[in-house]
Amino acid sequence: MHRRKLPLLHLLLLTAAAIWSPPLITASTSPPGKFAVDGTVLELNDSNFDDAIASIDNLLVDFYAPWCGHCKRLSPELDVAAPVLAKWDVPIVIAKLDADKYTKIRDRYDVDGYPTLKLFMHGVPVDYDGPRKAESLIKQLRKFVIPDVSLLESDSAIDNFVLAAGKQFPIFIGFGLNETVIGKLAGKYKKKSWFAVARGFSEDVMVKYDFDKVPALVSIHPAHNEQHVFYGPFEEDFLEDYIRQNQLPLSFPLTIDILKQLGEEKRKVVLTIMDDVSDEKSLKLIRTLKSAASANRDLLFSYVGVKQWEEFADTFDVNKKTKLPRLVVWDGNEKYFLVEGLESLDEEDQGSQISLFLEGYRAGRTIEKTLSGPSFMGFINSLIGIRSVYILVFIVAVTMLIRHVTEDEEGSVPRTIKTEGEITDAGSSESRSEGQKEYRPEDKED
């Protein structure tokens, strides 16, 4: 009986060791080397990693695993971005580290999912959570190496700044403002916004950006053809409220990138679920939602189409019998609220119906619901990290050991279990061999 228990107990001890005792790596004895900034992606290992972050001022490191599907898709994007970043006045070098092999370095920097990107600026790591397509990644990384606030001396400089900033992030331009007024907040929001102060501009610029006096702070969302003007007061609290509220446009389509931004938001989301966001009736409704959002800045207004993202819409109990468009107030997590008698919108006078919906919500005439699975659980599972999987394996091993002992006592034939490398999620197992393994729950979304 004891001989039958030993292999399983041995597996249990090995699994525990994998969680709490990362494997040792022999210290490097090779002398420091120099790294060329020539636009190639460096391959790092345990012998040159510390030398690289010490000798390169701005180093973007891709912590990857060879079996990770997301990592394989990211790799060519980094190859495209690397030569562009290397040509900047303040260059950024891209490097890669097989974190599945060099686990001591992985654990030192708390890497718990693949791929993880970290920008080492003079040796200090900063998490990079921005876009990963080459063009967008380049624009995002520029934020790290330019001043927090750019100074613009002419109309053409303003136009060039807005054009170079692109359409992904909001742009804030101060007119008649000293850069020190917004400098602190510009540093705080630098990763997700562009900031500038125009010191020279004409009346044509005032007309273009729709302000009639100074000082003024203009926010621009180029992708949504939307801009707003703030005339003060310019104390920090009021300024931050304005910047925070204008991180997103008045009404916006819900996407995976937006979901990541919502993680930092405290405001609830008035979510409109439509059949197709691109049809004419939906476009008219979106314009109506913008008007409602302008008058209710304590809430966010978003929309999603069943045709565009059915899996997400389904988590709000939307099915073929549901009358659309449907309005809910979502807390950005697992709870959402219906307003009694106003779950859906009729085609006529939708502006008045939205107003009544908001009045009902604020008055508490709501029905609380919980997002349904399995779609929502899919989002949760995508955030599970490496250590979470190890712990899951450990729990499974403990459970099976207990069951094994019980079966021994009952005279049952012992069960066969998978090794740690084969278990990928609760209730399922797959081989880790190349070609068969394209996704693990710890993989991050691109």
Side-chain angles (χ1 to χ4, degrees):
M1 181 178 296
H2 291 292
R3 287 180 182 177
R4 291 169 61 193
K5 294 179 188 175
L6 184 58
L8 189 59
L9 182 59
H10 182 63
L11 170 65
L12 180 61
L13 294 173
L14 287 176
T15 308
I19 300 172
W20 288 291
S21 302
L24 294 175
I25 296 178
T26 305
S28 168
T29 57
S30 59
K34 292 185 178 181
F35 301 90
V37 183
D38 59 3
T40 58
V41 176
L42 305 178
E43 188 71 41
L44 302 182
N45 53 49
D46 60 327
S47 67
N48 64 6
F49 184 88
D50 290 337
D51 185 30
I53 64 173
S55 59
I56 300 173
D57 289 345
N58 297 289
L59 180 68
L60 180 71
V61 179
D62 170 24
F63 293 85
Y64 74 97
W67 45 259
C68 164
H70 291 303
C71 301
K72 294 173 184 177
R73 288 189 287 276
L74 175 62
S75 182
E77 301 293 337
L78 298 180
D79 290 337
V80 172
V84 177
L85 301 178
K87 292 178 181 177
W88 287 353
D89 292 339
V90 182
I92 294 178
V93 176
I94 296 181
K96 300 170 67 175
L97 177 87
D98 182 351
D100 202 38
K101 179 178 181 180
Y102 301 109
T103 54
K104 188 173 182 180
I105 299 175
R106 178 196 73 195
D107 294 340
R108 187 198 310 172
Y109 293 104
D110 295 323
V111 173
D112 64 355
Y114 301 134
T116 288
L117 294 175
K118 290 181 181 285
L119 178 63
F120 290 81
M121 304 177 70
H122 301 281
V124 179
V126 177
D127 289 335
Y128 175 85
D129 298 316
R132 300 183 179 192
K133 296 297 182 182
E135 183 179 358
S136 300
L137 181 142
I138 290 167
K139 289 181 178 178
Q140 174 76 345
L141 286 174
R142 186 177 289 278
K143 296 176 178 297
F144 291 89
V145 294
I146 65 169
D148 293 347
V149 182
S150 298
L151 302 180
L152 312 175
E153 304 289 351
S154 65
D155 290 6
S156 60
I158 296 169
D159 291 340
N160 291 336
F161 177 81
V162 172
L163 182 63
K167 296 185 176 183
Q168 184 162 1
F169 303 99
I171 303 167
F172 295 88
I173 304 178
F175 295 91
L177 278 176
N178 189 290
E179 59 268 24
T180 59
V181 174
I182 60 173
K184 181 178 179 181
L185 293 173
K188 181 176 180 179
Y189 288 89
K190 181 177 182 178
K191 289 185 183 180
K192 47 192 176 182
S193 302
W194 297 97
F195 291 89
V197 165
R199 300 199 293 199
F201 55 91
S202 69
E203 289 186 6
D204 291 340
V205 168
M206 297 179 70
V207 172
K208 182 176 182 178
Y209 293 106
D210 198 25
F211 66 97
D212 57 10
K213 61 181 180 179
V214 293
L217 180 62
V218 175
S219 66
I220 309 165
H221 282 278
H224 299 269
N225 195 27
E226 184 177 306
Q227 60 190 43
H228 305 280
V229 181
F230 178 69
Y231 291 114
F234 289 98
E235 284 80 8
E236 185 174 322
D237 289 347
F238 295 104
L239 263 175
E240 182 160 18
D241 280 346
Y242 175 74
I243 292 170
R244 179 177 53 80
Q245 288 178 1
N246 285 278
Q247 288 299 301
L248 292 165
L250 287 173
S251 183
F252 50 88
L254 203 60
T255 63
I256 289 176
D257 287 337
I258 292 293
L259 283 179
K260 293 176 182 178
Q261 284 185 257
L262 293 181
E264 302 175 6
E265 267 288 351
K266 296 180 181 179
R267 290 175 287 177
K268 290 184 171 62
V269 182
V270 178
L271 179 64
T272 304
I273 304 170
M274 310 170 178
D275 181 47
D276 182 355
V277 299
S278 63
D279 66 33
E280 197 166 324
K281 291 179 181 178
S282 295
L283 294 174
K284 180 181 178 182
L285 175 55
I286 290 168
R287 289 192 292 269
T288 305
L289 290 171
K290 285 186 177 182
S291 298
S294 183
N296 295 272
R297 297 308 296 266
D298 60 324
L299 297 167
L300 294 171
F301 284 73
S302 187
Y303 52 89
V304 65
V306 174
K307 184 176 180 180
Q308 283 76 23
W309 200 359
E310 183 177 4
E311 294 82 1
F312 185 78
D314 286 350
T315 64
F316 293 88
D317 290 326
V318 171
N319 53 53
K320 293 181 179 179
K321 296 181 180 180
T322 304
K323 182 183 176 183
L324 300 177
R326 187 181 200 187
L327 280 175
V328 303
V329 177
W330 180 38
D331 70 353
N333 196 356
E334 295 186 40
K335 300 293 183 183
Y336 68 96
F337 303 87
L338 302 173
V339 173
E340 295 174 351
L342 290 164
E343 292 91 346
S344 300
L345 293 176
D346 295 325
E347 199 168 322
E348 298 298 325
D349 198 11
Q350 292 180 332
S352 296
Q353 294 174 68
I354 293 171
S355 296
L356 289 172
F357 176 88
L358 294 171
E359 288 175 13
Y361 168 70
R362 295 186 189 282
R365 298 192 296 272
T366 59
I367 304 167
E368 183 176 313
K369 298 277 189 176
T370 302
L371 293 185
S372 60
S375 298
F376 182 68
M377 289 310 298
F379 301 134
I380 299 299
N381 289 340
S382 70
L383 301 176
I384 296 176
I386 296 169
R387 291 190 181 278
S388 301
V389 175
Y390 283 159
I391 293 170
L392 174 63
V393 171
F394 183 69
I395 293 171
V396 170
V398 171
T399 303
M400 295 188 75
L401 177 61
I402 295 170
R403 185 180 297 173
H404 179 70
V405 172
T406 303
E407 287 175 348
D408 264 353
E409 292 174 353
E410 293 175 354
S412 301
V413 177
R415 296 174 182 263
T416 301
I417 69 168
K418 299 285 186 182
T419 64
E420 179 270 329
E422 293 176 296
I423 298 175
T424 59
D425 202 352
S428 67
S429 63
E430 292 182 20
S431 169
R432 260 180 84 168
S433 63
E434 188 69 31
Q436 294 179 347
K437 188 62 188 161
E438 282 297 310
Y439 176 77
R440 287 174 61 137
E442 67 266 32
D443 282 355
K444 289 185 178 181
E445 289 293 339
D446 289 331

